[in-house]
Amino acid sequence: MIPSLGILLAGVRRSRHAIAKTTPVSALAALLFLAAATFWLLFLGPLRSPHTTLSSGASTHGLGATSCDTTLGEWVRDPAGARPHYTNATCAFIQDYQNCMKHGRPSLDFLQWRWRPDGGPGCELPRFDAARFFRIVRGKSILFVGDSLASSHVTSLVCTLSEAEIPTRRSADGFEHWRFPAHDFAVSFFWTPFQVRWRLTSGPPAAVGPDRQGEVFAGPNDLHLDEPEERWMPAAKENDYVVVSASHWFARPAVYYRRGQAVGCHGCATTDGNVTALPPRYAQRAAFRTVLRALAGLDGFKGTAILRTVAPTHYANGGWFDGGECPDTQPLDRDETADMAEPEGGFYRAQLEEFRAAEEEARKNGVRLRLMDVTRIMLRRPDGHPDRYGHGAGDHGGFDIDCLHWCLPGPIDVWNELLLQIMSG
Ligand SMILES: *[C@@H]1O[C@H](CO)[C@@H](O)[C@H](O)[C@H]1NC(C)=O
Ligand SMILES: *[C@@H]1O[C@H](CO)[C@@H](O)[C@H](O)[C@H]1NC(C)=O
């Protein structure tokens, strides 16, 4: 039933020549899509996975409880940080494409940094404290909804918490669940690259044989921008925290719908020329508007909805398909300007604006809406990706150099500190 990773990726490889000739946006889309395909496989398969999320921007919290903005700061050397909360020996949930240590990453220097927000005393981001986290979340649950980067955050969180208690894991109805019975806490993950209702035009993977998986993933998507995906939204109100984040897949070719009518498309060779070309940021913004408003007004939901902002990629000298790489071995220091590539910059701006636009309604309905702004923090970590250490020799399955995902353990672990900060607020 479940196609092998090799087959999935082989399918993707088949389509990469077309992609390589097109724009960087398409390339990124393909990359993400590939990442998601990998993820999808892991998600369906017997492995564990995921997670994503978070970060801050206290000034945009809505509560105004603090005056410092944790998104501004710098990565500083911290030898204590060299002792990560987990390794591939203590946490069995790390997936292969995140397991940079297993694949021989030559230096672990990338673990010896911590994020120090500007603002001095009162504005620190303390090292993650599992005991404190578990005190806050006792009797509660958190749901992460998103793509492979969301999955990576879930893995990071679950691995970090494993220091205190090893969770049980099970899959059901498209969800993955981790339980920490001693601390009465549950983590769930639902994989969706768009959050709104979507469909691969060529049909779901289950509808075709393994030899056609690549075509399925390469096909354009139908995105219903005004409809939250009904597979996860009902589960939201059963959780105390819901973290939404997906962005990267919006760069892929898609036809956009509102009220069931096609209103535009991106990267689509329309045959009849009737559909207006629209940029990915149009769809990504619309999807976040839909989902944030749905959570803000969700009947029976009185929890906290968290928007985790886009985590930037760091491809240089090309893309994933033509030798692009992420050769940096250190974080950018504060004097180095870090420019965000498009469409990621536009995705980030749209998230900030849609977050603000949804705040009022959330407040009226008693829903806490919080921003976990990781974008500028991660922009300064071009050294934190798997690079060529996301797979074994000759086993890259089309994803030779990965400057999109993050090594685990790695800089993505700071997202848990941001999450704890939001929960404490
Ligand atoms: C963990 O990483 C080490 C290298 O640090 C590697 O030798 C080992 O195979 C990895 N183990 C697992 C289970 O991934
Ligand atoms: C395209 O638009 C024209 C004019 O509105 C309409 O007659 C035609 O049916 C449309 N074609 C499709 C495939 O929707």
Side-chain angles (χ1 to χ4, degrees):
M1 285 276 311
I2 299 167
S4 77
L5 181 58
I7 288 166
L8 274 181
L9 297 175
V12 172
R13 268 201 302 280
R14 273 203 301 279
S15 63
R16 79 176 183 169
H17 300 295
I19 290 161
K21 297 286 181 287
T22 59
T23 65
V25 169
S26 303
L28 173 62
L31 171 66
L32 288 164
F33 141 42
L34 175 52
T38 303
F39 198 166
W40 179 299
L41 173 76
L42 293 167
F43 171 79
L44 291 175
L47 304 176
R48 12 7 247 277
S49 54
H51 57 48
T52 286
T53 329
L54 197 328
S55 176
S56 97
S59 54
T60 55
H61 267 194
L63 278 188
T66 140
S67 60
C68 61
D69 178 351
T70 48
T71 67
L72 299 177
E74 64 182 327
W75 288 94
V76 294
R77 268 201 184 276
D78 175 19
R83 187 177 56 80
H85 291 279
Y86 60 92
T87 68
N88 70 6
T90 67
C91 185
F93 302 122
I94 299 173
Q95 297 160 54
D96 224 42
Y97 72 89
Q98 307 159 337
N99 201 342
C100 303
M101 290 179 182
K102 173 179 169 185
H103 298 121
R105 188 171 168 131
S107 164
L108 297 185
D109 187 62
F110 72 104
L111 295 174
Q112 309 207 2
W113 301 85
R114 62 169 292 105
W115 179 252
R116 187 174 67 193
D118 294 341
C123 204
E124 294 95 3
L125 194 57
R127 182 173 161 86
F128 189 83
D129 178 346
R132 183 158 161 252
F133 183 90
F134 275 133
R135 273 198 300 278
I136 291 173
V137 299
R138 175 166 283 279
K140 295 185 175 165
S141 60
I142 187 168
L143 168 65
F144 291 83
V145 175
D147 58 20
S148 57
L149 287 166
S151 171
S152 290
H153 185 197
V154 173
T155 306
S156 167
L157 177 62
V158 165
C159 285
T160 299
L161 293 175
S162 295
E163 250 187 335
E165 181 182 359
I166 308 278
T168 62
R169 176 182 176 275
R170 76 185 167 89
S171 303
D173 303 328
F175 289 81
E176 283 189 276
H177 303 282
W178 289 262
R179 282 189 190 286
F180 297 83
H183 294 91
D184 195 10
F185 177 58
V187 178
S188 299
F189 172 69
F190 185 85
W191 182 83
T192 170
F194 303 108
Q195 298 165 160
V196 292
R197 184 156 79 86
W198 64 287
R199 180 178 81 92
L200 283 163
T201 313
S202 355
V208 300
D211 56 332
R212 292 194 50 214
Q213 292 297 313
E215 297 165 51
V216 170
F217 280 110
N221 299 293
D222 285 345
L223 297 192
H224 296 265
L225 301 177
D226 52 354
E227 300 176 43
E229 192 178 313
E230 69 280 12
R231 290 185 301 155
W232 68 267
M233 189 52 91
K237 58 167 152 302
E238 292 155 25
N239 285 271
D240 301 281
Y241 302 93
V242 178
V243 185
V244 295
S245 59
S247 283
H248 290 293
W249 274 57
F250 285 96
R252 300 196 62 216
V255 181
Y256 306 140
Y257 292 82
R258 288 183 186 275
R259 301 179 185 198
Q261 300 293 311
V263 294
C265 65
H266 164 67
C268 50
T270 45
T271 46
D272 58 26
N274 268 10
V275 184
T276 315
L278 290 168
R281 64 173 186 276
Y282 167 87
Q284 185 257 7
R285 175 187 289 274
F288 272 92
R289 180 173 303 180
T290 296
V291 168
L292 292 177
R293 288 189 182 173
L295 287 170
L298 184 62
D299 204 21
F301 179 60
K302 293 294 172 233
T304 302
I306 299 170
L307 164 59
R308 193 265 297 158
T309 61
V310 65
T313 57
H314 290 96
Y315 274 96
N317 307 318
W320 67 276
F321 50 88
D322 62 355
E325 53 190 353
C326 32
D328 285 4
T329 54
Q330 290 206 347
L332 302 181
D333 68 38
R334 63 183 314 131
D335 299 328
E336 289 172 280
T337 49
D339 292 326
M340 196 153 30
E342 293 302 337
E344 293 163 16
F347 289 166
Y348 178 48
R349 290 188 294 276
Q351 286 176 326
L352 298 181
E353 287 164 19
E354 292 305 324
F355 173 82
R356 283 184 200 114
E359 277 185 303
E360 173 63 21
E361 188 178 353
R363 229 187 331 265
K364 275 198 311 230
N365 293 318
V367 171
R368 280 163 36 108
L369 186 61
R370 296 292 180 268
L371 187 69
M372 180 181 280
D373 189 339
V374 304
T375 305
R376 282 176 288 179
I377 298 174
M378 304 311 279
L379 191 57
R380 311 197 79 82
R381 290 311 302 269
D383 58 323
H385 299 288
D387 189 31
R388 55 192 76 239
Y389 305 102
H391 54 79
D395 187 27
H396 63 75
F399 213 150
D400 194 11
I401 300 181
D402 182 354
C403 308
L404 160 71
H405 297 101
W406 304 91
C407 294
L408 294 180
I412 192 174
D413 296 327
V414 75
W415 296 8
N416 299 321
E417 295 172 356
L418 296 166
L419 182 62
L420 178 52
Q421 185 192 51
I422 287 174
M423 288 173 161
S424 312

